Amino acid sequence: MLYGVAAIVCASALFSVMPTVQKYALLSGLPAGSMVFCQELCMFLWASLRAWRELKDSGIGYRAAAKLTGFGAVGIGLTNVFYGHALELLPIGTVVLLHFLYPVMVLLIMAALFKKKVTAAGYAAAAISVAGLVLVSGTSSPGNLFGMGLALASGLCYAAFVVSNDTSSGTECGLPVRLFFMTLGALLVSFVILPASGGFAFPSGIRITAVLLFGLGLGSCLAFYLMSKGVGLIGAGRAAFFNMLEPVGALFVGAAVYQETLTGKKLAGCVLVLAGAMVLLLDRSSGQGRENKKSV
């Protein structure tokens, strides 16, 4: 249990650094479409290095490989695409708020499609965490409806990624192999969409190339690995709510790097998000990953 929570917390910490790294890449002059493509490419390269020895002995069939590639295309690839374009249309606080409604989506998906029991603690955690997220995001106006739709779509795609790691059957293989095919799916999506984003632009120097390779590529690969590992250990519902530590971490990273203001309202929101996670941590009746998946 604690190992699974630790994996999700570490994944959230890594994910919380990503917006700052992405902002640095954009400020260096790299277009958003090219940045996403480079991120997915670097993720795939790191996943390939980790999995190449296990691929030959994994015994994975074409159907399972195609299923994992599809999970990655939707859960990683489309999530990044929708999230990136939403940032072009809405304030970042609004995008974060709408995207991080995904833990509630996970609860609803697990209850509706997989008949998982949602406990009272699950409902309480949802209410407390969303209230905290409203304060953390600092959003005041929702912006245009299309941008809101993109932000919600990014959350729905990521909810599908989390659920797939908890419930997928027919894809039983080592996590490195799973991540190899999922990052392949994400890379294919970004490659197909790249022409509509203005085509590919090369990084302008060694520093930004290193940032893309290690900051975005390796960092994202490790984060998705830990997220997948944590979901398998504590279940999709708990993992989704502990992952709400990500916007809290991003708030502090942004304040440290770009001197963004930390208000009392945002700090109160952080406390509520942490309180929501603690409600689930202390709830013994909610499931514990693959060992006990009768409740969320």
Side-chain angles (χ1 to χ4, degrees):
M1 171 64 182
L2 290 179
Y3 181 69
V5 172
I8 299 299
V9 170
C10 290
S12 300
L14 287 169
F15 278 132
S16 70
V17 179
M18 292 303 110
T20 300
V21 179
Q22 290 169 326
K23 185 173 182 178
Y24 175 81
L26 292 173
L27 290 175
S28 72
L30 194 64
S34 296
M35 181 192 68
V36 172
F37 176 77
C38 289
Q39 179 179 359
E40 310 292 18
L41 176 61
C42 293
M43 283 178 59
F44 176 69
L45 292 175
W46 285 113
S48 300
L49 287 174
R50 176 63 181 85
W52 72 274
R53 290 184 177 178
E54 300 178 29
L55 278 170
K56 189 176 295 185
D57 300 325
S58 66
I60 188 170
Y62 291 111
R63 182 175 297 181
K67 183 183 289 188
L68 287 170
T69 303
F71 289 158
V74 174
I76 300 176
L78 288 181
T79 295
N80 288 338
V81 169
F82 290 146
Y83 192 88
H85 285 289
L87 286 174
E88 294 178 339
L89 299 171
L90 296 173
I92 188 169
T94 303
V95 176
V96 169
L97 172 60
L98 294 174
H99 174 80
F100 274 93
L101 291 176
Y102 93 83
V104 179
M105 299 178 192
V106 169
L107 285 184
L108 296 176
I109 291 172
M110 296 294 284
L113 299 183
F114 300 98
K115 310 303 179 184
K116 305 293 183 179
K117 179 184 176 182
V118 181
T119 66
Y123 289 117
I128 294 170
S129 299
V130 171
L133 193 58
V134 171
L135 296 177
V136 169
S137 68
T139 183
S140 56
S141 59
N144 66 70
L145 291 177
F146 182 64
M148 292 173 63
L150 288 175
L152 287 170
S154 73
L156 182 60
C157 289
Y158 196 66
F161 171 79
V162 173
V163 170
S164 71
N165 276 282
D166 189 25
T167 61
S168 59
S169 59
T171 57
E172 287 76 12
C173 57
L175 186 51
V177 175
R178 289 173 59 87
L179 195 60
F180 169 83
F181 286 106
M182 287 191 288
T183 54
L184 173 62
L187 177 60
L188 292 175
V189 166
S190 63
F191 178 76
V192 170
I193 295 177
L194 186 60
S197 302
F200 180 70
F202 286 95
S204 58
I206 295 178
R207 178 178 295 180
I208 186 60
T209 301
V211 167
L212 292 170
L213 183 61
F214 294 99
L216 287 182
L218 181 58
S220 297
C221 191
L222 287 173
F224 279 111
Y225 179 92
L226 290 168
M227 187 71 185
S228 299
K229 186 71 173 179
V231 170
L233 291 171
I234 66 174
R238 276 183 167 174
F241 280 96
F242 280 108
N243 189 221
M244 291 185 81
L245 297 174
E246 177 185 334
V248 173
L251 184 69
F252 286 95
V253 172
V257 177
Y258 292 110
Q259 286 76 51
E260 296 175 355
T261 304
L262 280 176
T263 65
K265 181 186 291 188
K266 290 183 178 181
L267 291 175
C270 293
V271 172
L272 287 177
V273 170
L274 293 172
M278 288 302 298
V279 167
L280 281 186
L281 179 63
L282 297 175
D283 176 37
R284 296 182 180 274
S285 64
S286 65
Q288 296 186 20
R290 299 189 181 277
E291 296 177 3
N292 177 10
K293 289 186 176 183
K294 294 184 180 179
S295 59
V296 180

